[in-house]
């Protein structure tokens, strides 16, 4: 197994300001990380990681076949799930119901609106990955601009790499006490060009390449905000670029959410040169996510039959046409229902009433396009998918990763030298 280069560091001057505590105002120097360039590095995984990675790719391919050939609506379902979980990692807390309301223009939370933007950004980056390298700065910048649209503070910095120092944790005003300080802004463009070249390679196992690209992106932290959500989108986008997927989105952020601290700890392992641990973890997360998503596919595939049994619609009726459309388009208004069923508004309202009475549709409120409804079973399955992945969180770490995390925790809890 080849050793991956750990971060090095440089000490840089800090221009003090009048903000923050006295310690912030007198802060003068800080340490910034220097990631290695990786575009030409050799990658050799351990035998165990190679085995797990191959199994994960096989599971992803099977899930993709289900989404592309058997159950096309699964792709949209997985996109919504990935956006919700990826946003929750950043403490942007929404729910399937809130997302449904926001989608149809009903007053909802800022978190739901932000999560919708995350879904659009994920979809954008993965779609460009079908034709071009998703790590191209123009592709990343475009997805980042989509993500930042609802954010009046940070959208002015979107669609461009940062030109200021950022950091994670510690003070709000200076890098004092930061948990991690990404590279200085003057290094970002070169590192991002190197990441682009790394993602262009075809000699690497695709899932290992996607995992490393994600970790390297998070380490560079090229934007002022939104790095986590764009970096996780990049993981799926690289899989699309390498041809591992053609339709499915691996709901891997749900696996990260199952143990958020572990995810961040193993990003730290990557930065310490333990890339194999991180790739193994990503492969195990992908396996868990694919197993749970396959169960969701089975559940979703059975819903239209259950709905027909509950409603007992006439052949060719508006109610039957709506039932047949709900799996792929689980949200509707009376106007949308009339379009999908090719019927009059009154016939659409009558059909909606039947579906609501049978428990197929839930009234989710009134918005800019009138009263709105959602297929409740589809919304519920989003939460069920996350619960399934949470139940398998104990399977996401191999013994070496457990040992690494235990060692890091022991170091963090040990008293400092006097």
């Amino acid at each position: 197994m080849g050793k991956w280069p750990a971060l090095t560091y440089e000490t840089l001057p800090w221009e003090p300001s009048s903000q923050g505590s006295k310690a912030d105002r007198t802060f003068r120097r800080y340490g910034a990380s220097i990631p290695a360039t990786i575009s030409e590095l050799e990658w050799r995984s351990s035998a165990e990681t190679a085995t797990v990675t191959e199994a994960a790719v096989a599971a992803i391919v099977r899930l993709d076949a289900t989404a592309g050939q058997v159950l096309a609506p699964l792709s949209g379902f997985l996109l919504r799930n990935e956006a919700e979980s990826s946003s929750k990692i950043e403490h942007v807390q929404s729910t399937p119901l809130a997302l449904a309301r926001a989608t149809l223009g009903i007053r909802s939370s800022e978190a739901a609106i932000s999560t919708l933007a995350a879904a659009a950004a994920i979809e954008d980056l993965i779609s460009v990955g079908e034709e071009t390298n998703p790590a191209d700065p123009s592709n990343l910048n475009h997805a980042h601009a989509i993500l930042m649209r609802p954010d009046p503070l940070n959208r002015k910095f979107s669609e461009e790499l940062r030109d200021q120092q950022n950091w994670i944790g510690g003070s709000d005003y200076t890098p004092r006490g930061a948990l991690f300080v990404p590279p200085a802004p003057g290094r970002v463009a070169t590192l991002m060009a190197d990441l682009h070249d790394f993602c262009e390679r075809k000699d690497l196992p695709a899932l290992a390449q996607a995992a490393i690209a994600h970790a390297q992106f998070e380490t560079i932290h090229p934007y002022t905000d939104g790095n986590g959500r764009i970096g996780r989108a990049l993981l799926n986008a690289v899989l699309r670029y390498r041809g591992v997927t053609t339709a499915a989105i691996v709901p891997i952020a749900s696996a990260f959410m199952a143990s958020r601290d572990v995810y961040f700890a193993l990003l730290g392992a990557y930065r310490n040169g333990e890339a194999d641990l991180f790739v193994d973890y990503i492969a195990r997360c992908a396996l868990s996510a694919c197993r749970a998503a396959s169960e969701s596919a089975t559940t979703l595939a059975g819903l239209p039959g259950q709905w027909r049994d509950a409603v007992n619609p006439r052949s060719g009726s508006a109610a039957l046409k709506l039932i047949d459309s709900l799996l792929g388009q689980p949200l509707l208004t009376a106007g949308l229902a009339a379009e999908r069923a090719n019927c009059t508004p009154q016939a659409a309202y009558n059909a909606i009433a039947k579906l609501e009475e049978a428990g197929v549709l839930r009234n989710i409120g009134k918005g800019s396009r009138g009263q709105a409804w959602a297929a409740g079973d589809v919304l519920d399955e989003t939460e069920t998918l996350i619960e399934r992945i949470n139940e398998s969180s104990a399977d996401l770490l191999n013994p070496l990763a457990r040992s690494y995390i235990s060692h890091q925790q022991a170091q963090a809890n040990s008293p400092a030298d006097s």
Side-chain angles (χ1 to χ4, degrees):
M1 179 179 66
K3 184 72 174 176
W4 203 252
L7 297 178
T8 57
Y9 296 87
E10 60 183 338
T11 300
L12 299 170
W14 181 262
E15 187 68 32
S17 73
S18 59
Q19 293 182 304
S21 66
K22 180 179 179 181
D24 287 313
R25 296 193 301 273
T26 58
F27 189 73
R28 291 292 184 272
R29 302 185 74 77
Y30 71 101
S33 62
I34 307 176
T37 53
I38 63 172
S39 60
E40 298 181 1
L41 288 181
E42 179 185 9
W43 167 252
R44 286 184 293 150
S45 67
S46 66
E48 181 179 6
T49 295
T51 299
V52 174
T53 302
E54 288 172 8
V57 169
I60 293 169
V61 170
R62 288 193 297 271
L63 180 66
D64 190 69
T66 300
Q69 301 170 23
V70 182
L71 189 62
L74 182 62
S75 297
F77 170 83
L78 294 175
L79 172 63
R80 293 188 292 271
N81 179 276
E82 182 68 2
E84 183 181 343
S85 293
S86 188
S87 297
K88 284 181 177 178
I89 291 172
E90 308 301 327
H91 300 295
V92 180
Q93 302 285 340
S94 187
T95 65
L97 177 59
L99 289 176
R101 290 170 61 87
T103 301
L104 291 176
I106 301 171
R107 177 177 290 184
S108 192
S109 64
E110 290 184 6
I113 294 168
S114 177
T115 302
L116 280 184
I122 293 168
E123 187 172 33
D124 179 78
L125 194 59
I126 292 174
S127 66
V128 300
E130 295 174 359
E131 301 291 339
T132 64
N133 187 335
D136 185 282
S138 63
N139 292 332
L140 289 167
N141 288 348
H142 187 262
H144 185 253
I146 293 171
L147 175 66
M148 292 290 106
R149 276 177 192 163
D151 187 336
L153 178 63
N154 285 296
R155 67 184 173 210
K156 62 183 178 182
F157 300 114
S158 69
E159 213 163 356
E160 60 184 29
L161 302 178
R162 61 180 168 89
D163 60 0
Q164 55 189 279
Q165 185 64 63
N166 55 1
W167 60 91
I168 298 171
S171 170
D172 289 337
Y173 302 99
T174 69
R176 181 178 61 84
L179 298 174
F180 175 66
V181 182
R187 295 183 181 273
V188 171
T190 299
L191 288 166
M192 291 302 291
D194 177 72
L195 178 60
H196 168 276
D197 293 346
F198 175 80
C199 291
E200 199 62 52
R201 289 171 59 177
K202 301 296 188 290
D203 63 316
L204 300 167
L207 185 55
Q209 185 179 31
I212 292 170
H214 168 56
Q216 185 76 352
F217 180 95
E218 298 303 336
T219 299
I220 300 168
H221 241 60
Y223 300 114
T224 56
D225 192 26
N227 292 286
R229 286 165 288 178
I230 294 298
R232 288 183 286 275
L234 180 62
L235 201 160
N236 262 294
V238 171
L239 293 177
R240 185 64 55 88
Y241 186 53
R242 289 295 306 275
V244 177
T245 64
T246 60
I249 296 171
V250 182
I252 199 162
S254 294
F256 299 159
M257 264 300 295
S259 187
R260 186 173 175 272
D261 290 344
V262 167
Y263 166 59
F264 287 122
L266 289 175
L267 275 173
Y270 172 85
R271 293 164 184 158
N272 288 333
E274 302 288 351
D276 192 72
L277 292 183
F278 187 72
V279 172
D280 183 275
Y281 168 70
I282 292 295
R284 292 171 188 271
C285 285
L287 270 172
S288 174
C290 287
R291 291 189 190 113
S294 294
E295 290 187 50
S296 287
T298 300
T299 298
L300 293 171
L303 289 179
Q306 296 173 27
W307 294 336
R308 291 187 200 101
D309 290 343
V311 178
N312 193 25
R314 291 181 294 102
S315 176
S317 66
L320 181 59
K321 291 176 182 177
L322 289 183
I323 286 172
D324 291 342
S325 73
L326 278 177
L327 203 57
Q329 299 171 302
L331 310 178
L332 54 77
T333 61
L336 290 173
E339 290 177 15
R340 293 177 196 172
N342 191 24
C343 66
T344 65
Q346 186 58 55
Y349 273 114
N350 292 341
I352 288 170
K354 288 182 181 178
L355 269 61
E356 188 175 3
E357 183 180 1
V360 174
L361 290 178
R362 291 179 195 163
N363 190 315
I364 60 171
K366 188 172 184 179
S368 59
R369 288 179 279 179
Q371 204 70 36
W373 293 263
D377 292 329
V378 177
L379 300 188
D380 292 344
E381 185 58 30
T382 300
E383 297 292 351
T384 301
L385 171 59
I386 294 171
E387 290 169 5
R388 286 195 198 99
I389 294 174
N390 285 341
E391 290 168 1
S392 65
S393 61
D395 301 327
L396 300 181
L397 295 177
N398 68 18
L400 287 176
R402 292 184 189 280
S403 176
Y404 173 87
I405 291 173
S406 295
H407 178 69
Q408 295 299 113
Q409 289 173 339
Q411 281 192 323
N413 293 331
S414 64
D417 293 338
S418 57

